[in-house]
Amino acid sequence: MLDLFGKAILDFQTNNSPEDIITETNISESDEMSVAYLFRSYKEMPELEQKALQLTKGKVLDVGCGAGSHSLYLQNERNLEVIAIDISEKAIKACALRGIKNTRVQNLLAVENETFDTILLLMNGTGIFETLSETSKYLQKLKNLLSPTGQILIDSSDIIYIFDDEEDGSKWVPAEGYYGELMFTLSYKNQTEKPFPWLYLDYNTLQNAAHDNGLKCELISNGNHFDYLARLFL
């Protein structure tokens, strides 16, 4: 793994000539993303993210923290105890340079023997589940990391809007697999990662998966573009 996402974040943090990240999926053309967006302040965040940070309480686990903007706000403005984890070594290095006190290079599945009052999975938090068939494994892990009154705050999008309309008004979706299962390719500074799976879950599918794994699920709010914020709890 080249860790290009982490490289872009660290380049931005250390002023090492950062460039845009190029993303592409198996159902969409390439798209440019400014690395600066990952360093946004609370005021610059979408409403769904702001709402999630308002609802955050107690001891926090920020999963897939990236550049650490959510953790930084919760630590500095809300005075909460936050542990920021990401599988990217370079992203975690950037988080530490930004002043986040508790950082770890760690996969969610490797977190053991701890409980949290809030677990955050933002910026399409369901992405790390990879596929619909793997979702239960991740939800079971999240459930086991919750304190008795804890909550999981997670966002995603229903990407049905990407697919073409049929004559009867329904949507054409691939016959094989769940339509939210995508393969992502990420490029940065003329290097390209191997494609990796990334999951978008519509709310009903998330709710059903949560219930199947002994978690309650409530819709907190809908965003402007088929996205939503949900809260899962025991």
Side-chain angles (χ1 to χ4, degrees):
M1 185 175 154
L2 296 169
D3 191 12
L4 296 180
F5 198 69
K7 181 170 168 46
I9 288 169
L10 191 57
D11 280 352
F12 187 91
Q13 177 61 32
T14 57
N15 296 317
N16 184 30
S17 311
E19 296 176 12
D20 286 350
I21 298 167
I22 313 294
T23 61
E24 196 174 325
T25 78
N26 55 310
I27 60 165
S28 63
E29 300 294 313
S30 62
D31 197 20
E32 292 184 12
M33 182 175 102
S34 168
V35 190
Y37 180 69
L38 301 172
F39 287 78
R40 60 199 177 280
S41 67
Y42 178 81
K43 283 182 181 173
E44 295 167 324
M45 290 175 194
E47 270 182 49
L48 285 188
E49 286 178 31
Q50 291 182 352
K51 184 72 177 168
L53 296 181
Q54 288 164 18
L55 292 171
T56 299
K57 60 178 187 180
K59 185 182 176 187
V60 183
L61 181 67
D62 184 4
V63 179
C65 62
S69 295
H70 302 123
S71 290
L72 208 58
Y73 173 80
L74 294 169
Q75 174 189 284
N76 294 351
E77 304 302 323
R78 297 278 317 279
N79 297 314
L80 295 174
E81 180 189 350
V82 187
I83 296 170
I85 66 170
D86 202 290
I87 59 170
S88 164
E89 205 171 311
K90 292 185 172 79
I92 288 297
K93 190 173 177 185
C95 287
L97 289 170
R98 293 186 79 188
I100 297 170
K101 293 170 191 161
N102 300 314
T103 60
R104 298 180 197 162
V105 181
Q106 193 171 38
N107 187 305
L108 170 66
L109 297 174
V111 182
E112 296 283 352
N113 306 317
E114 291 178 273
T115 57
F116 300 90
D117 302 303
T118 302
I119 303 175
L120 282 182
L121 297 99
L122 298 178
M123 285 193 76
N124 189 43
T126 64
I128 66 163
F129 301 167
E130 298 188 337
T131 62
L132 190 55
S133 62
E134 291 287 289
T135 297
S136 281
K137 178 173 77 176
Y138 283 91
L139 289 176
Q140 282 296 327
K141 168 55 77 172
L142 289 165
K143 180 182 169 185
N144 291 336
L145 294 174
L146 277 183
S147 68
T149 57
Q151 59 178 353
I152 299 155
L153 296 171
I154 187 166
D155 65 354
S156 193
S157 300
D158 184 355
I159 62 167
I160 193 75
Y161 70 89
I162 291 174
F163 297 93
D164 293 332
D165 288 315
E166 299 278 27
E167 284 179 13
D168 64 358
S170 64
K171 289 283 187 182
W172 177 90
V173 292
E176 291 174 13
Y178 169 66
Y179 67 83
E181 295 176 346
L182 300 190
M183 291 300 292
F184 254 84
T185 308
L186 198 142
S187 304
Y188 179 70
K189 289 189 174 178
N190 299 318
Q191 285 186 294
T192 302
E193 294 274 13
K194 258 186 4 187
F196 57 92
W198 193 247
L199 181 66
Y200 288 88
L201 275 183
D202 68 277
Y203 177 70
N204 284 343
T205 303
L206 174 66
Q207 188 178 44
N208 290 337
H211 289 168
D212 288 346
N213 286 281
L215 286 161
K216 298 186 177 81
C217 180
E218 66 175 356
L219 182 67
I220 299 292
S221 52
N222 283 304
N224 297 326
H225 198 63
F226 305 93
D227 53 335
Y228 65 87
L229 174 67
R231 176 174 172 265
L232 279 55
F233 54 101
L234 297 169

